[in-house]
Amino acid sequence: MLSDILAPLLGGFTQLADPSTWLLVMIATLYGVAAGAMPGMGTTLAFGLALPFTFAMSSTHAVSFLLAISVGTAYGNSIPAILMGIPGNPAAILTVIDGHTLHRRGESGLALGIAFVAALGGQLVSILMFILLVLPLMNLAYSFLSPEIFSLYFLGMIAIISLTGDNMVKGIMAAALGVVISLVGFDTLTMVTRLDFGFYELRSGLDPVAVVIGLLAVSELFRASRQVYQWKDLSGEVQSNSAFPPWSKIKPVVPSMMIGTVLGTVIGAIPGAGGTAAAMISYQYAQLFSKRPQDFGKGSVEGIGANEAAQNASNCGELIPTLGLGLPVTGSMVLLLSCLSVHGFVPGPLMVANAPELLYATVAGLLASTIILIVFGWRMATFMLKAVLLNRQIVIIIALAMIVLGVYAINTRLLDVGVTMVFGAVGYFMLRYGYSPAVAALAVFLGGEFERNLRVGLNMSEGSFVDFFTRPITAAIMVVAITLLVFGIRRQAKMRREMRAEAELAIGLEKQALS
Amino acid sequence: MDRRIDIAVAAAFLCFGLLIAFETSQIPNGVYRDIIGSKQFLYLWAAVLIVGAPIIIGRRIIGWQKSSSHIVEPEGSNDEEGYPSSILRPILLFLLCVVYAVLFETLGYLISTPIFIFAGLAILQQRRYGLMAAIAIVFTAIFYLAFAVFLDVRMPADPITQYFTNS
């Protein structure tokens, strides 16, 4: 058992012996921190912009590079949250509430210091948790046949539909759109072409990377272009008293950081949950176990600790199903698997089991970026704040140009650029009107295999669906999927009831005021 | 969120579902047969779109009868409060990207890219033309180094370079 755990760690350390890994991780970490500091530019968009560069790297370097970006982004978003009151992404909202309150009290050094220690502590501990949790999944993957893979993808889609977005019907429709797109092209089982609309260019299907970048990255840039303002306009003050806090001030926060780390890793592994849910739930639990719960929301260092640790730990959590089972649970993980598919890997339960160097590269990327942040992260904090002072409009256009060139670079084919732009426009409307582009991207990526495994599984069982419910692993997965579906429906019904009650109350008050 | 656009988006999904169902019916039978075949899975997902969209449209229309306002609780990403927003800018940017893609191979990378960056900045209401031109030229050079030199991507040459290459 111990040797099983040590193998990925040793493999990771071996990859760190390569100086080029360090150089790439250094660049990725700096880029990640700067991207995290820019509001609205989360891990997914940062991955989308950097993806073309990973095609020129080896697969292991590409994995380390992308994961270093995610570590940098998770840390970077706390800097403007504390010093300017601007959340880099939704997960940093709670850091704004407590961190910016401390900053206004003149305790920005304390807030930044706690965020720094929590982010790095959470990251380091969650790497070990990731190894502990991913290994059993990788071993389990050997017992996966088509029915198991089908049920696994079914669970992934149901989970992400149930947990993301407010409207499940729209979530299911987003999944339907993604699956349909993934089925365009040649059907390898019956040797016919599907949905080519008479265009021979579509006979080999749409490039999933071009579609996914359009849905996840271009859509966000189009949405950002709706408004013209500068990030610095959101808050004027950019001053900080950034002396690192003494250990006596950090020590009481350690239990909250541990809560954030454990919950962040576990919740991060749930499809669709992601860093925001991990941060919110960890914050609530930290408040529950705190000796000073009344401080939460009013400048609590424990709140910052739990929130920041959870955000960084969720990075490792997301990797557990992504690498252990080939099931990407967030938009950024879809892009990670897209990158690996360009490198010739076939995403699925056996991907990492057959190529353990990917696991070693993961550990190397996460470890190296954490070490880089330990050494330079504190000094970076105020320096990276300059990222918020960049001209937002220039960033949008440069990012768009990078995506166009990056997508063209995949196959040097203009069709891919057109596909990315069309799905960017589709994704824009989905994003604005509650059809999750992340669900659609997941479906684009899994749809083809989802159908193929259903059909192969049915052929294996001579046309009987019984195997899809009676084999031990499929039965367990299906039970979890159906439970999640029921949970999602009940959650949505509850939300609708609450909204209706609120609306009726507002109408009642309005009538009372008029009479 | 404007309920009229929400209805229009749902209607677009409905049309797409119908198109997929029709196109699926045109798929020929394959050489090999299996239980589900090439069509059934597509029909299933087209049906999801065809059934789901009217549910969304129906809910919005029923809600409309209760409240006269077009604005409803947002279900997607909202704008930053306090700053005017316009759908015209994303539409113009989309069109600019399409024009860029079309001109990319005709005019070549070195001519089309600075035009794209300059025009994009103009759409996003940048008005310091000197700075815009400088940014367009500098980033065109940086991207050329990154993609053509570092990533070894064959960028389309402009007509002048092509003339010298051909002669």
Side-chain angles (χ1 to χ4, degrees):
Chain A
M1 179 63 190
L2 190 65
S3 62
D4 285 349
I5 299 165
L6 284 177
L9 272 177
L10 287 175
F13 283 124
T14 312
Q15 295 207 357
L16 288 179
D18 177 5
S20 55
T21 305
W22 280 100
L23 180 68
L24 289 169
V25 168
M26 170 79 96
I27 294 167
T29 310
L30 287 172
Y31 165 67
V33 176
M38 291 182 208
M41 188 152 158
T43 315
T44 308
L45 190 51
F47 271 28
L49 293 177
L51 206 60
F53 296 97
T54 62
F55 303 152
M57 302 171 192
S58 69
S59 55
T60 51
H61 281 156
V63 169
S64 301
F65 184 79
L66 287 177
L67 294 176
I69 293 175
S70 69
V71 174
T73 316
Y75 169 61
N77 67 32
S78 66
I79 302 166
I82 291 169
L83 295 184
M84 297 178 83
I86 306 169
N89 62 33
I93 290 168
L94 294 170
T95 308
V96 170
I97 296 170
D98 287 310
H100 195 56
T101 309
L102 283 174
H103 167 67
R104 284 204 307 263
R105 277 191 218 150
E107 295 178 279
S108 41
L110 177 64
L112 284 170
I114 296 290
F116 177 72
V117 175
L120 300 183
Q123 191 68 59
L124 271 181
V125 176
S126 65
I127 295 171
L128 292 175
M129 285 184 68
F130 158 70
I131 295 171
L132 278 173
L133 293 171
V134 80
L135 288 173
L137 278 185
M138 280 170 59
N139 293 332
L140 191 69
Y142 285 108
S143 34
F144 274 50
L145 292 174
S146 287
E148 282 80 11
I149 298 174
F150 168 79
S151 51
L152 185 69
Y153 289 171
F154 179 71
L155 167 68
M157 287 209 198
I158 290 293
I160 203 162
I161 289 166
S162 302
L163 298 177
T164 54
D166 297 335
N167 190 327
M168 269 190 74
V169 178
K170 287 183 175 178
I172 295 169
M173 286 168 69
L177 174 77
V179 173
V180 167
I181 298 305
S182 73
L183 298 180
V184 172
F186 196 65
D187 177 4
T188 49
L189 292 179
T190 52
M191 315 296 265
V192 294
T193 312
R194 298 187 286 186
L195 306 180
D196 64 352
F197 298 93
F199 296 102
Y200 76 89
E201 293 92 345
L202 296 182
R203 285 183 195 161
S204 54
L206 298 169
D207 190 315
V209 181
V211 178
V212 164
I213 289 180
L215 282 171
L216 295 175
V218 177
S219 61
E220 182 55 44
L221 292 171
F222 283 162
R223 191 195 68 79
S225 71
R226 284 172 60 83
Q227 291 178 292
V228 174
Y229 63 89
Q230 298 303 332
W231 289 311
K232 65 178 180 204
D233 296 342
L234 299 174
S235 171
E237 31 181 335
V238 194
Q239 296 160 347
S240 73
N241 162 28
S242 37
F244 197 81
W247 172 244
S248 60
K249 297 238 176 176
I250 297 170
K251 197 178 164 191
V253 191
V254 172
S256 298
M257 293 179 191
M258 289 311 295
I259 290 172
T261 305
V262 174
L263 287 178
T265 312
V266 174
I267 295 165
I270 299 170
T276 307
M280 301 274 177
I281 294 169
S282 302
Y283 188 85
Q284 285 168 357
Y285 271 87
Q287 187 175 24
L288 201 66
F289 290 105
S290 169
K291 286 176 187 161
R292 300 180 61 84
Q294 71 278 12
D295 286 353
F296 278 67
K298 297 169 194 161
S300 164
V301 283
E302 288 172 283
I304 300 171
N307 185 21
E308 287 299 317
Q311 279 185 59
N312 272 65
S314 73
N315 279 334
C316 288
E318 289 170 11
L319 286 166
I320 295 166
T322 307
L323 294 181
L325 297 169
L327 182 69
V329 291
T330 56
S332 55
M333 291 298 107
V334 173
L335 289 170
L336 175 70
L337 287 191
S338 301
C339 161
L340 289 174
S341 68
V342 171
H343 280 279
F345 291 93
V346 180
L350 285 173
M351 183 179 72
V352 175
N354 289 337
E357 68 272 17
L358 295 179
L359 182 63
Y360 306 155
T362 304
V363 174
L366 293 170
L367 266 177
S369 55
T370 311
I371 293 167
I372 287 167
L373 281 182
I374 288 171
V375 178
F376 301 109
W378 180 248
R379 287 172 198 281
M380 263 184 218
T382 40
F383 178 71
M384 280 300 165
L385 202 59
K386 289 185 173 40
V388 187
L389 303 177
L390 290 174
N391 185 310
R392 181 174 168 272
Q393 278 66 258
I394 294 174
V395 172
I396 291 172
I397 296 300
I398 297 304
L400 212 46
M402 261 178 83
I403 286 177
V404 170
L405 297 171
V407 171
Y408 180 77
I410 301 172
N411 302 311
T412 52
R413 209 169 51 155
L414 275 181
L415 175 72
D416 294 337
V417 178
V419 166
T420 301
M421 290 308 141
V422 167
F423 281 97
V426 171
Y428 164 80
F429 284 102
M430 292 176 76
L431 204 59
R432 288 280 302 158
Y433 293 92
Y435 300 83
S436 168
V439 172
L442 179 84
V444 166
F445 209 72
L446 299 182
E449 284 296 299
F450 188 47
E451 187 210 28
R452 204 181 70 82
N453 282 294
L454 172 67
R455 290 166 70 183
V456 172
L458 279 174
N459 281 348
M460 272 170 55
S461 59
E462 294 173 349
S464 166
F465 275 98
V466 175
D467 265 14
F468 286 85
F469 293 93
T470 53
R471 293 164 71 96
I473 297 174
T474 53
I477 296 173
M478 285 297 190
V479 167
V480 176
I482 291 163
T483 310
L484 272 173
L485 187 66
V486 172
F487 169 77
I489 293 168
R490 286 189 60 179
R491 176 175 155 265
Q492 199 192 330
K494 191 182 162 200
M495 269 173 58
R496 284 194 177 280
R497 272 200 305 274
E498 283 173 1
M499 277 166 69
R500 208 174 299 140
E502 272 175 29
E504 278 167 12
L505 187 71
I507 291 167
L509 287 172
E510 205 173 303
K511 278 181 184 168
Q512 213 172 11
L514 284 171
S515 63
Chain B
M1 187 170 83
D2 189 324
R3 78 168 82 224
R4 292 167 300 180
I5 304 178
D6 195 31
I7 289 172
V9 173
F13 269 97
L14 176 63
C15 294
F16 182 70
L18 291 169
L19 178 70
I20 294 302
F22 172 75
E23 193 63 22
T24 303
S25 68
Q26 308 297 308
I27 297 171
N29 287 324
V31 181
Y32 303 102
R33 298 278 174 92
D34 67 321
I35 294 134
I36 287 189
S38 300
K39 297 181 185 179
Q40 305 309 323
F41 207 64
L42 277 168
Y43 276 134
L44 172 75
W45 293 102
V48 168
L49 294 173
I50 293 166
V51 172
I55 293 174
I56 305 287
I57 295 170
R59 273 184 190 162
R60 288 289 173 229
I61 290 173
I62 291 166
W64 220 337
Q65 288 165 347
K66 289 180 184 164
S67 161
S68 56
S69 170
H70 299 313
I71 305 301
V72 290
E73 277 291 309
E75 286 180 344
S77 295
N78 229 352
D79 291 323
E80 195 66 52
E81 274 181 37
Y83 298 95
S85 64
S86 161
I87 194 173
L88 196 64
R89 278 187 288 268
I91 291 172
L92 287 174
L93 265 191
F94 169 73
L95 293 175
L96 179 68
C97 290
V98 173
V99 171
Y100 179 42
V102 171
L103 294 181
F104 194 58
E105 286 191 338
T106 323
L107 288 182
Y109 167 81
L110 288 175
I111 295 176
S112 60
T113 305
I115 295 174
F116 169 76
I117 295 175
F118 190 90
L121 290 172
I123 289 171
L124 294 187
Q125 294 183 356
Q126 296 295 295
R127 292 293 175 262
R128 292 158 69 190
Y129 296 110
L131 178 72
M132 286 158 66
I135 287 167
I137 292 164
V138 168
F139 277 97
T140 302
I142 292 172
F143 289 152
Y144 187 80
L145 283 176
F147 286 94
V149 179
F150 174 65
L151 294 180
D152 210 14
V153 179
R154 236 185 110 157
M155 293 293 192
D158 56 274
I160 305 162
T161 313
Q162 276 175 4
Y163 174 78
F164 283 109
T165 316
N166 294 337
S167 60

